[in-house]
Amino acid sequence: MLRENINDLIALAAVAEERSFTKAAARLNVSQSALSHTIKGLESRLGLRLLTRTTRSVAPTLAAEDLLATLNPCFEKIEARLRALNDSRDQPTGTVRIAAVEYAIESLLWPKLSPVLKQHPAVNVEFVMDYGYTDLAQSQCDAGVRYGDQVSEGMIAMRIGPDERMICVGAPDYFQAAGMPETPQDLSDHRCINLRLSTHGALYAWEFEDPQGNEIRVKVRGQVCFNTVNPVMRAAVDGHGLALIPERLAADHLASGALATCLDAYCPSFPGFYLYYPSRQRPSSAFEVVLEALRERG
């Protein structure tokens, strides 16, 4: 019943406020005759007289005043909400939750979003540290970040970073004492710094590729193990063994000489980070700001 009468109720409120069919018709951009027909139809359906008409004025009846006392606050709330939604197009608002590994947050998400957040004070971003590729709905996140070849089907995926490369590194003092491996199989003779995957609790098997493009997986051993990549790199700098880490993460230590690489011929590039989110999701104004900031333009 409400759906049938909502426009008629709006017309009634306009006539009651203006106390004039002429002014109300102009406000609603309809003809006086159409407005009069609308009110008569509403009165007929409700079985009530809603307006008292004289030659000079129009006034709501007691029944209409009682009805409008309930309706007008609702109309005002709806109008206020519509104005807020319209304003949000010019002033994006809202919170965006993103699940990602620490390396992605520090190397890509934060550098790209930090300056944008200063421009949009009503946009909030929450970073959720996630090494387990948690389901977005389960983690109540709007989007996640994964390498391009790990994005699930049914998701919209957008590249946010360049191609990546995992490299094998160690401190110069370590290489001087233990020598340098020539092939991935030689790692069994070296101390290595392990990474435990929170996905299923297993140790990460180091991944390489031979010159013919064949995949090589090596399980390594060592004294220390971490479940995030940054302390793995720190342990390598401190001389505790070899580490397999993202090349961009190690760039500063490679430039300073604190780390050196080995097995370069076995370390190919692969698709970099992508932001992904459900295809059914309708982006909010805040989410659109985040998408635009993270989009890879290289």
Side-chain angles (χ1 to χ4, degrees), residues 13 25 46 57 62 75 105 124 160 179 186 201 219-221 227 244:
L46 295 179
S57 66
L62 291 177
F75 288 149
I105 294 172
N124 306 312
I160 62 172
D186 294 339
K219 291 186 177 181
V220 299
R221 295 174 298 175
N227 65 357
L244 191 69

Side-chain angles (χ1 to χ4, degrees), residues 52-273:
T52 301
R53 303 169 178 82
T54 68
T55 55
R56 295 188 176 183
S57 66
V58 178
T61 63
L62 291 177
E65 288 181 347
D66 183 60
L67 176 61
L68 291 171
T70 300
L71 291 177
N72 284 335
C74 297
F75 288 149
E76 290 172 3
K77 288 181 180 179
I78 293 171
E79 284 287 345
R81 182 57 183 156
L82 290 174
R83 284 195 298 271
L85 290 173
N86 188 59
D87 291 344
S88 71
R89 293 183 302 175
D90 301 319
Q91 180 61 43
T93 60
T95 299
V96 180
R97 284 170 52 90
I98 306 175
V101 296
E102 181 182 20
Y103 167 55
I105 294 172
E106 292 188 354
S107 68
L108 279 177
L109 301 184
W110 184 244
K112 287 189 173 187
L113 289 174
S114 176
V116 174
L117 291 176
K118 293 180 180 179
Q119 300 170 15
H120 298 283
V123 173
N124 306 312
V125 176
E126 182 175 346
F127 299 103
V128 179
M129 202 81 71
D130 176 34
Y131 279 82
Y133 297 135
T134 306
D135 178 76
L136 291 182
Q138 180 181 342
S139 61
Q140 297 183 318
C141 288
D142 301 290
V145 175
R146 294 183 185 177
Y147 286 123
D149 56 356
Q150 298 171 338
V151 175
S152 304
E153 292 185 8
M155 293 283 177
I156 294 177
M158 181 187 76
R159 179 186 278 270
I160 62 172
D163 284 352
E164 294 279 348
R165 183 171 177 249
M166 299 293 285
I167 58 172
C168 191
V169 299
D173 289 347
Y174 174 83
F175 286 124
Q176 185 175 359
M180 188 168 289
E182 299 294 330
T183 69
Q185 290 77 10
D186 294 339
L187 292 172
S188 59
D189 298 324
H190 285 264
R191 286 186 289 120
C192 298
I193 302 156
N194 263 306
L195 177 68
R196 187 174 296 279
L197 300 173
S198 60
T199 315
H200 44 71
L203 295 177
Y204 169 60
W206 290 15
E207 299 173 275
F208 299 95
E209 191 176 283
D210 68 19
Q212 288 72 45
N214 300 310
E215 185 180 277
I216 302 172
R217 286 176 174 263
V218 180
K219 291 186 177 181
V220 299
R221 295 174 298 175
Q223 284 183 296
V224 290
C225 178
F226 301 93
N227 65 357
T228 62
V229 71
N230 279 357
V232 170
M233 181 176 67
R234 182 71 257 172
V237 171
D238 292 341
H240 288 279
L242 301 180
L244 191 69
I245 59 178
E247 185 173 28
R248 288 195 303 120
L249 181 64
D252 289 343
H253 291 302
L254 293 172
S256 69
L259 289 175
T261 64
C262 61
L263 302 176
D264 287 347
Y266 295 90
C267 299
S269 297
F270 56 89
F273 284 118

